Amino acid sequence: MNLEIKNAICGYGFRAVVKGISVNVKSGETLCLLGPNGVGKTTLFKTILGFLKLQGGEIILDGENINNLSRKKLAKAIGYVPQAHTPPFPFSVLDVITMGRTAHLGAFASPSKNDMAIAEESLETLGISFLKNKIYTEISGGERQMVLIARALTQQPSILVMDEPTSNLDFGNQIRVLEQINSLVKKGLGVIMTTHFPDHTFLCSSKVALMQKNNIFTVGSVDDVVTEENLRSAYGVDVKITSTVNSRGEPIKACIPLLTN
């Protein structure tokens, strides 16, 4: 599946926040949206998901303009993992994950045995079956993030939109979530994610869209976009990009801030 954004204009009411961005992502790719607060990353997300009406340009999903798709069809194709989610009731983890089947159910229908099986398969895919009967509100932040990803997988989408999937997680859980994203992409899922950590783009991105103020967009491969000059321009701080090797001997980059004091 291919999601193509062409000269998109996104915003609220008559106020445009994002003007003229073009980028695409297909199955088996990870697109990372990088940039400071206030440049419109979340606004673009809301437009892709159909929460906001596109003000100009086009968003094409496998040849179809998303404006012509029903909410239900769009929900079957694109899953969403928010930054955080706290349900008003103490649902079990399995109940929360099964909610991902909503787009496939008819009005007033209850989840079938097949729906429950798909939910349990998502748990197994992420290696969190041990959480199945626990209360969602009583598990850790890292476990909750995995549950939200499992809920989105239960939706069986082709594209997964993830709004800062590692926010508020400790270092270990950040890496575990990124490893799961890489694993899902290798299985054919397309992922669009935002992050405030340039290092994360080196760990899991196929391509990057660096969004800056005044609607300046730089789109391309990680090595071409995530450079010392571009990060300095976007964030107003000096950084040094260094290189090392991982456990397999493959080169990997990291971003180090150059503190002035």
Side-chain angles (χ1 to χ4, degrees):
M1 180 165 284
N2 185 55
L3 179 69
E4 188 173 5
I5 300 167
K6 298 180 177 180
N7 297 310
I9 301 175
C10 315
Y12 302 85
F14 296 102
R15 183 173 67 89
V17 177
V18 176
K19 299 178 184 178
I21 189 169
S22 296
V23 66
N24 75 292
V25 63
K26 60 186 178 182
S27 298
E29 285 186 341
T30 303
L31 168 66
C32 185
L33 302 183
L34 191 65
N37 292 330
V39 295
K41 299 187 295 295
T42 298
T43 303
L44 177 60
F45 266 12
K46 289 180 178 179
T47 307
I48 293 171
L49 294 164
F51 301 154
L52 292 174
K53 186 177 180 180
L54 188 66
Q55 295 185 351
E58 295 180 302
I59 299 179
I60 308 296
L61 183 64
D62 263 5
E64 282 193 82
N65 192 306
I66 65 167
N67 287 338
N68 300 327
L69 299 178
S70 67
R71 280 290 184 89
K72 190 166 186 175
K73 190 171 183 179
L74 190 61
K76 287 181 179 179
I78 302 177
Y80 177 49
V81 179
Q83 288 184 39
H85 170 255
T86 304
F89 303 104
F91 293 109
S92 73
V93 164
L94 183 59
D95 285 340
V96 171
I97 293 174
T98 305
M99 291 174 189
R101 297 301 297 165
T102 301
H104 298 267
L105 301 177
F108 308 111
S110 298
S112 66
K113 288 184 178 179
N114 183 57
D115 293 319
M116 300 298 292
I118 292 170
E120 297 216 26
E121 184 180 348
S122 296
L123 281 164
E124 291 175 9
T125 297
L126 295 179
I128 55 172
S129 294
F130 66 94
L131 294 175
K132 180 173 69 173
N133 296 315
K134 293 191 176 182
I135 302 302
Y136 176 80
T137 51
E138 296 176 2
I139 61 178
S140 72
E143 290 170 336
R144 285 194 197 186
Q145 196 63 41
M146 289 295 191
V147 170
L148 292 180
I149 295 172
R151 183 181 66 174
L153 291 181
T154 299
Q155 195 172 319
Q156 294 187 315
S158 298
I159 302 289
L160 196 58
V161 173
M162 310 179 81
D163 193 0
E164 295 184 36
T166 60
S167 66
N168 302 316
L169 297 184
D170 63 41
F171 181 71
N173 280 318
Q174 287 181 25
I175 302 306
R176 292 182 189 99
V177 168
L178 294 176
E179 287 176 338
Q180 288 294 349
I181 292 172
N182 284 339
S183 176
L184 294 172
V185 170
K186 287 178 181 177
K187 294 177 181 178
L189 196 66
V191 171
I192 306 175
M193 60 176 278
T194 59
T195 182
H196 281 302
F197 303 101
D199 280 341
H200 290 180
T201 63
F202 295 126
L203 296 174
C204 69
S205 296
S206 305
K207 61 179 68 171
V208 175
L210 177 62
M211 303 174 66
Q212 301 185 52
K213 294 179 180 178
N214 300 316
N215 285 286
I216 299 172
F217 311 116
T218 308
V219 180
S221 69
V222 180
D223 289 338
D224 289 341
V225 175
V226 187
T227 65
E228 294 170 2
E229 182 179 352
N230 285 343
L231 293 177
R232 185 184 305 112
S233 174
Y235 295 100
V237 295
D238 290 326
V239 301
K240 180 71 175 178
I241 293 178
T242 63
S243 183
T244 184
V245 293
N246 62 18
S247 59
R248 296 185 295 274
E250 300 165 337
I252 188 169
K253 293 183 177 180
C255 180
I256 301 173
L258 300 179
L259 301 181
T260 56
N261 295 320

